[in-house]
Amino acid sequence: MSSANAREGILATLRAGLAAAPLSVPAPPARPASLSVGPDAWALLAAVLEPLEVRLRLAATPAEAARHVADIARERGAASYARWADLPAAAEMDAALAGLTRLEPNPSGCCQALARADLGLTFAQAALMDSGSLVLVAGPQRPRSVSLLPPTHVCLVPRAGLVADVSALPELLRRHAAASGAFPQGLLPSCLNLITGPSSTADIELVLVRGVHGPGALDVVGLDWDLE
Amino acid sequence: MRITLMIPCLVEDCLPEIGLAVVSVLERLGVGVDHPRVQTCCGQMAWKTGDVARARALALRSLELFAGPAPVVCPSGSCAKMLRTYPELFAPGTPDHARALDLAGRVFEFCEFVLSLPGAPDIGAEWNVRAALHRSCQMDGSDAPQRLLSAVRGLTLLEPERPERCCGFGGLFSLQFPAVSESLLEDKAHELLALDPEILVSAEPSCLMNISGYLARLGRPVRPLHAAQALDHGLDLGLQGALTGALTGGPTWR
Amino acid sequence: MEINPRDFREQSEKACHDATLRAVLDHATRYFQAKRGAALETFADRETHFARARAARLAALSRLPELLEQLEQTATAAGTRVHWAADAAQAREIITGIAQDCGAKVVVKGKSMVTEEIALNPALEAAGMEVWETDLGEFIVQLAGEPPSHIIAPCIHKSRADVAALFRAKLGLLGLSGLDGLPGQENLSDAASIPELTLLARKALREKFLAADLGVTGVNIAVAETGSVILVENEGNIRMSTTCPPVHVAVMSLEKVAATLEDAADILRVLPRSATGQKMSSYVSVLTGPRRPNEQDGARETHLVILDNGRSEVLAEPILREALLCFRCGACLNSCPVYQTIGGHAYGSVYSGPIGALLSSLLLPAQDTRDLPFGCTLCGACKRTCPLGIDHPRLMLRLRERVCQSSGTGLAGAAHSFLALHPLFYRLAVGAARAVDPNLDLLPRLPGFPGLANFVDTRQPPELKKPFSAQLLRLRKKQARTKKPHTNKGDA
């Protein structure tokens, strides 16, 4: 049987099943109200990140953000880094990390190149206060592997990106899709990652270990100013 | 008020003292009790083996026996649940389905029923005793036994570490998967014995039989009592105003 | 290891005599339940979130054919090639074909029940490929040549010493290099720490990720509206499998679709909390088509395989189709006293525990699964735990009905029902039994009552006493004489 025949067979069986025994769906209750994003949003985010062993550092200026990133690189013993190309305060970051080797992703062997980096520096479109999840949207200047292959991941989170929970995601994705006019209407970015704490496993004897395949360390720098 | 008493087959022939305690408690609380004869099996056994046709035939028998309008009270969570399941056995819209729905709406597990009476949960019972409660998964999460027993003056209600965990009986399950059943029972027995109880109480006769039979074989017997028996004895003591007195009644298991 | 649910009874009876296994299971299931309980305690409006997740799943089932067509269209528009597989063999053929077309030599896999279900690894290996499970637990059971034993913790049955021994024996086969800073796997001690073992696996598998030609994963949710697949994990291996190799194949069982992103979000609020007690899993990836022009990583070619394998037939069954709501959080396993006692392997199938007994019964040949719905005490712990409100015991009963229809209840069941329907014979039979064997020493041991002998070996049986109705009658007569308002004890 070909895949096309399978398709027709499967759909016909499903249709016949629903016709024989219709399935009605009771209206669900209204979605509970989300957390409100107020002046204490950074504190809420820090509190939810803390049990994940993720430290939030706040920066009031690009220079302060760059200093935080340099501190993190030093604390984690990083000798090399890779970063997304279009970061806020990118110039300040490079200056602050001048002592480290910057690895450039090359399209032919992006993962191979970035696997050698000690630290990956990215930027979150949003952060979910309910769970401490960082919302990263991949794109041409933003390889997925920067937040995945290096043992340390540092993520910049803008003040305007603080949202309540995952129910904010559809709206955010649609806005993103609408803005990317180059693609057919409604097409989402190729990859969106919610990142919540470091890579982890408890597969052996249920003992929690950070850093299995992804970064064992995650640091967040809050950009507490208005990005344009 | 009068109720119709539904007596599980296990109680009819093996644990009749449970039935008598039910009658005693209800009558002392001013409830008249009618017991239609001859009751056999509510169909639970057939239903749980997947024999729907026979379960339906037995359900029809129950529909005759327990034709309305009085409330039907049953000293077993699982049998009460079976009676509430009857509507599933008949096609909606048929007269039998309507009768099954009517019956399902009038069925009470014994503790639930007592709890609905005026004055409950404190029915004037009193017993200075350490009682381990087995909630029984067949009670569908009802907390009626806990609430009634907690209101017995002097009674220390003890619950095992995992109060809702199954004792491993499961009817047919205990016959088809004897080693697994026994493992669950072993867990349950140890959690109960850890409470160092004087009596073991449950509102489910089959669990009571399963657990107490195992404790007896272990050589660590704990007097098993249905909630109705515990309340009945508590009412005796409450009336006498005395906290002492030899235990009478209750199943004696060799 | 050849596994088959045919041997479920035998295997489960054996498993509960394994003290080590029982201790491990006890520890693991308590750990997961405690973690989950703590996560749910702080979850405001929990029941509302559960109801919304259930509604999202129900909505998907109620519109399954049209949503799958929509998914095909949107995924295709995003550049993903969509394939339909009627059964496991067809799915294997499709995926092996994709692997051969891209010249794959090394295949990395993210944890996925459905690829276990279709036995994909042996097919790819038979086609000459090297296939690596990359979830740590799955990697360990792969090295051991065993099936996973738990939906979310595949190797909970292995100790660190077991893992060290396994790595010592098997990691050399990977042809590893560059394990600098670590003891070589050949002199790895049994006392190696868990972080050391984890790091060793990380290094071993990192090389495989970078060398892989193809990544294969399952799908947690496929979004019909957008053509996206959503993958939920903690380790990062699924992100690696979809980021590094040039080709990604996602295999979904057809019920895993959600109509909209909103429905997917409602599911995501519940799934990690119920599965691992996390507010959100470490990584949730929403992937839509292959990498776009100018993007530097991510698969260049993406495939979505929509697998039926018996599910479409279930949709016509009003009671049983509830099993298709399941999103594999595994909470019912941890809550089930039987699973807690026998573990996953006894079920003889990828799917274990309450939901596993249901799914296997629905998806595998009937003659192999007839014992599964009976290996359950109907205690309802699963139902109380399930965030999607699946009524597992009700489904078990429906499956028992199917078994009964095909092979009857046996002589004992038929005799019991006959007597119960004929009260006179019933009373005569019980009366006779009471006369010959009031203490039930003999009757349970007669042939024809399978299991009863064992029952009375371990539990003292009750006695057959003077029936309640006779005692009540006598009491009523006494009451009539004395006008006593209430009864007292009868003669027990």
Side-chain angles (χ1 to χ4, degrees):
Chain A
M1 186 171 31
S2 73
S3 184
N5 289 343
R7 177 187 189 279
E8 296 319 312
I10 292 166
L11 291 173
T13 311
L14 292 174
R15 287 207 175 89
L18 286 175
L23 176 55
S24 64
V25 185
R31 190 177 285 114
S34 293
L35 291 169
S36 58
V37 184
D40 59 345
W42 284 124
L44 284 174
L45 183 65
V48 75
L49 287 173
E50 195 259 318
L52 300 168
E53 293 176 25
V54 176
R55 186 169 154 202
L56 168 67
R57 298 165 213 241
L58 274 190
T61 63
E64 192 182 358
R67 272 201 305 280
H68 283 323
V69 173
D71 287 347
I72 294 163
R74 196 169 47 250
E75 284 164 26
R76 303 288 182 191
S80 58
Y81 74 104
R83 69 166 173 86
W84 280 4
D86 55 347
L87 289 179
E92 285 90 342
M93 297 292 166
D94 284 337
L97 297 173
L100 284 69
T101 311
R102 181 175 168 196
L103 299 173
E104 295 282 355
N106 56 325
S108 54
C110 178
C111 288
Q112 277 77 4
L114 294 188
R116 294 195 305 274
D118 296 327
L119 183 150
L121 182 57
T122 67
F123 171 71
Q125 295 283 328
L128 313 183
M129 294 189 311
D130 165 62
S131 56
S133 310
L134 311 172
V135 182
L136 274 67
V137 179
Q141 304 297 316
R142 302 170 173 181
R144 311 170 191 192
S145 41
V146 176
S147 64
L148 181 62
L149 292 171
T152 296
H153 173 209
V154 183
C155 185
L156 310 177
V157 175
R159 186 165 67 191
L162 295 174
V163 297
D165 55 56
V166 71
S167 63
L169 211 54
E171 174 56 29
L172 190 133
L173 274 167
R174 287 206 186 88
R175 232 177 27 230
H176 206 278
S180 66
F183 297 107
Q185 199 199 359
L187 195 61
L188 300 191
S190 62
C191 172
L192 174 143
N193 294 118
L194 288 185
I195 297 179
T196 311
S199 155
S200 66
T201 185
D203 274 353
I204 304 177
E205 293 186 14
L206 304 170
V207 172
L208 181 69
V209 179
R210 308 275 192 206
V212 204
H213 297 295
L218 173 62
D219 291 281
V220 176
V221 177
L223 309 183
D224 198 19
W225 72 86
D226 288 323
L227 299 180
E228 64 281 4
Chain B
M1 179 198 260
R2 296 198 74 80
I3 61 100
T4 305
L5 184 58
M6 191 274 185
I7 287 293
C9 48
L10 179 66
V11 171
E12 171 71 16
D13 284 298
C14 296
L15 303 165
E17 54 279 3
I18 292 178
L20 294 167
V22 167
V23 175
S24 169
V25 171
L26 291 179
E27 292 190 346
R28 287 203 258 188
L29 296 176
V31 178
V33 177
D34 294 316
H35 176 248
R37 304 177 76 190
V38 174
Q39 302 184 24
T40 57
C41 170
C42 60
Q44 186 181 174
M45 177 98 149
W47 171 244
K48 289 187 173 172
T49 49
D51 191 346
V52 177
R54 290 197 173 97
R56 191 178 296 124
L58 288 162
L60 281 170
R61 215 181 153 254
S62 293
L63 291 178
E64 295 298 326
L65 279 168
F66 305 115
V72 175
V73 176
C74 173
S76 156
S78 65
C79 296
K81 188 168 157 179
M82 184 64 215
L83 265 57
R84 291 187 191 118
T85 305
Y86 286 170
E88 291 188 41
L89 297 169
F90 303 100
T94 60
D96 289 336
H97 185 257
R99 289 160 74 206
L101 276 179
D102 167 61
L103 176 58
R106 293 184 278 122
V107 171
F108 293 85
E109 182 278 323
F110 167 78
C111 293
E112 286 169 4
F113 181 76
V114 173
L115 204 57
S116 73
L117 295 173
D122 184 355
I123 60 167
E126 188 171 330
W127 189 359
N128 200 359
V129 70
R130 289 172 57 82
L133 175 73
H134 172 60
R135 284 192 196 178
S136 176
C137 49
Q138 295 304 309
M139 298 288 291
D140 266 349
S142 159
D143 63 352
Q146 292 94 296
R147 291 178 60 195
L148 284 177
L149 292 166
S150 305
V152 174
R153 280 185 292 280
L155 186 142
T156 308
L157 189 66
L158 307 164
E159 293 223 51
E161 189 192 336
R162 293 175 286 182
E164 284 183 354
R165 198 172 195 250
C166 176
C167 69
F169 179 58
L172 190 65
F173 176 82
S174 62
L175 306 182
Q176 290 197 344
F177 293 80
V180 187
S181 171
E182 199 189 325
S183 301
L184 300 192
L185 184 49
E186 185 188 355
D187 290 346
K188 179 58 70 184
H190 286 127
E191 287 180 21
L192 285 167
L193 286 173
L195 305 172
D196 191 25
E198 293 166 88
I199 58 170
L200 169 65
V201 187
S202 177
E204 180 57 51
S206 51
C207 299
L208 209 53
M209 171 192 73
N210 188 46
I211 300 171
S212 62
Y214 184 76
L215 293 179
R217 286 277 193 252
L218 264 190
R220 301 275 309 270
V222 178
R223 169 185 282 272
L225 292 176
H226 187 276
Q229 292 171 284
L231 292 176
D232 190 35
H233 188 70
L235 282 174
D236 284 352
L237 294 177
L239 281 175
Q240 290 163 14
L243 294 176
T244 54
L247 293 186
T248 53
T252 43
W253 299 63
R254 268 181 299 166
Chain C
M1 188 193 296
E2 181 62 35
I3 58 164
N4 193 303
R6 256 195 313 260
D7 307 319
F8 174 56
R9 256 163 78 168
E10 193 187 316
Q11 291 301 322
S12 55
E13 292 289 284
K14 216 190 277 174
C16 63
H17 291 304
D18 182 339
T20 318
L21 177 69
R22 271 181 74 182
V24 168
L25 286 167
D26 188 64
H27 173 58
T29 53
R30 283 174 194 255
Y31 168 91
F32 281 119
Q33 286 185 291
K35 255 190 102 181
R36 181 178 188 271
L40 292 183
E41 215 158 87
T42 58
F43 192 20
D45 300 307
R46 176 202 322 184
E47 294 307 323
T48 310
H49 287 295
F50 285 3
R52 288 197 64 89
R54 176 179 167 88
R57 295 292 305 124
L58 268 176
L61 295 189
S62 74
R63 298 169 53 207
L64 199 45
E66 60 185 274
L67 290 179
L68 289 174
E69 281 182 306
Q70 188 189 4
L71 174 66
E72 178 183 44
Q73 194 197 333
T74 51
T76 307
T80 296
R81 286 195 50 200
V82 178
H83 313 258
W84 300 73
D87 55 26
Q90 197 171 26
R92 289 193 297 266
E93 196 184 306
I94 290 166
I95 301 162
T96 312
I98 296 167
Q100 283 166 334
D101 287 349
C102 69
K105 293 185 189 63
V106 178
V107 179
V108 284
K109 282 185 65 205
K111 190 173 88 179
S112 130
M113 309 291 293
V114 73
T115 58
E116 295 272 351
E117 175 187 330
I118 61 171
L120 180 62
N121 294 13
L124 293 175
E125 282 161 0
M129 291 159 218
E130 210 183 281
V131 186
W132 294 105
E133 292 291 346
T134 60
D135 170 86
L136 180 60
E138 293 275 353
F139 176 61
I140 289 167
V141 293
Q142 183 189 23
L143 289 180
E146 292 169 9
S149 64
H150 189 288
I151 290 183
I152 52 172
C155 73
I156 48 170
H157 57 293
K158 293 231 173 283
S159 70
R160 76 186 74 183
D162 293 340
V163 176
L166 196 62
F167 281 5
R168 206 158 51 226
K170 298 281 180 70
L171 274 193
L173 304 179
L174 275 76
L176 287 177
S177 58
L179 294 180
D180 41 300
L182 280 171
Q185 86 279 343
E186 68 282 352
N187 44 32
L188 191 65
S189 112
D190 275 2
S193 73
I194 290 169
E196 270 174 349
L197 293 168
T198 305
L199 190 55
L200 202 57
R202 173 189 167 104
K203 295 212 171 191
L205 287 169
R206 180 58 72 93
E207 299 201 356
K208 297 300 172 190
F209 282 124
L210 294 176
D213 310 294
L214 172 65
V216 180
T217 68
V219 171
N220 292 97
I221 309 168
V223 186
E225 179 191 29
T226 63
S228 312
V229 298
I230 299 181
L231 296 164
V232 180
E233 54 157 340
N234 278 315
E235 296 188 359
N237 62 312
I238 291 178
R239 286 190 65 196
M240 298 290 287
S241 302
T242 59
T243 297
C244 301
V247 182
H248 170 217
V249 177
V251 189
M252 69 178 277
S253 52
L254 55 76
E255 79 278 15
K256 291 287 186 71
V257 70
T260 59
L261 286 169
E262 278 77 9
D263 281 357
D266 283 339
I267 291 169
L268 284 173
R269 288 214 84 180
V270 173
L271 174 59
R273 283 179 160 98
S274 187
T276 48
Q278 293 168 287
K279 289 177 175 166
M280 194 61 72
S281 305
S282 298
Y283 301 117
V284 175
S285 306
V286 183
L287 302 174
T288 313
R291 75 161 85 159
R292 306 285 157 76
N294 302 323
E295 288 184 5
Q296 292 145 313
D297 58 8
R300 295 170 190 278
E301 186 182 319
T302 53
H303 298 261
L304 176 63
V305 180
I306 300 175
L307 174 75
D308 182 355
N309 210 25
R311 290 164 173 84
S312 60
E313 305 274 351
V314 181
L315 199 60
E317 283 264 9
I319 293 172
L320 293 174
R321 66 185 169 200
E322 286 254 315
L324 299 181
L325 294 176
C326 174
F327 56 26
R328 315 280 187 269
C329 72
C332 64
L333 279 66
N334 299 319
S335 75
C336 172
V338 174
Y339 179 89
Q340 289 165 2
T341 306
I342 65 174
H345 286 156
Y347 289 83
S349 142
V350 203
Y351 302 108
S352 59
I355 191 65
L358 297 174
L359 288 173
S360 298
S361 298
L362 293 171
L363 305 182
L364 299 175
Q367 69 271 15
D368 290 348
T369 58
R370 44 167 304 135
D371 285 335
L372 289 175
F374 292 90
C376 161
T377 69
L378 303 174
C379 77
C382 43
K383 175 188 176 182
R384 286 195 296 279
T385 306
C386 180
L388 300 175
I390 299 173
D391 186 350
H392 309 70
R394 184 66 191 91
L395 274 70
M396 295 286 180
L397 287 169
R398 175 75 187 105
L399 288 170
R400 291 180 184 191
E401 189 184 340
R402 276 189 174 187
V403 173
C404 180
Q405 276 162 355
S406 70
S407 48
T409 51
L411 195 61
H416 176 264
S417 294
F418 172 83
L419 290 173
L421 282 167
H422 298 82
L424 183 63
F425 290 117
Y426 185 93
R427 293 308 330 152
L428 282 173
V430 178
R434 189 168 67 241
V436 298
D437 187 24
N439 296 336
L440 291 174
D441 289 327
L442 305 169
L443 288 174
R445 296 174 205 282
L446 291 179
F449 298 103
L452 265 184
N454 189 287
F455 189 90
V456 301
D457 279 344
T458 49
R459 302 147 179 101
Q460 188 162 298
E463 296 158 43
L464 285 168
K465 297 179 187 155
K466 183 172 179 182
F468 165 78
S469 25
Q471 295 199 41
L472 182 67
L473 209 58
R474 206 173 62 178
L475 195 74
R476 292 298 192 215
K477 284 181 186 153
K478 209 161 86 187
Q479 280 175 336
R481 283 198 303 272
T482 62
K483 298 255 191 282
K484 200 177 161 204
H486 64 77
T487 154
N488 219 313
K489 319 307 164 316
D491 43 5

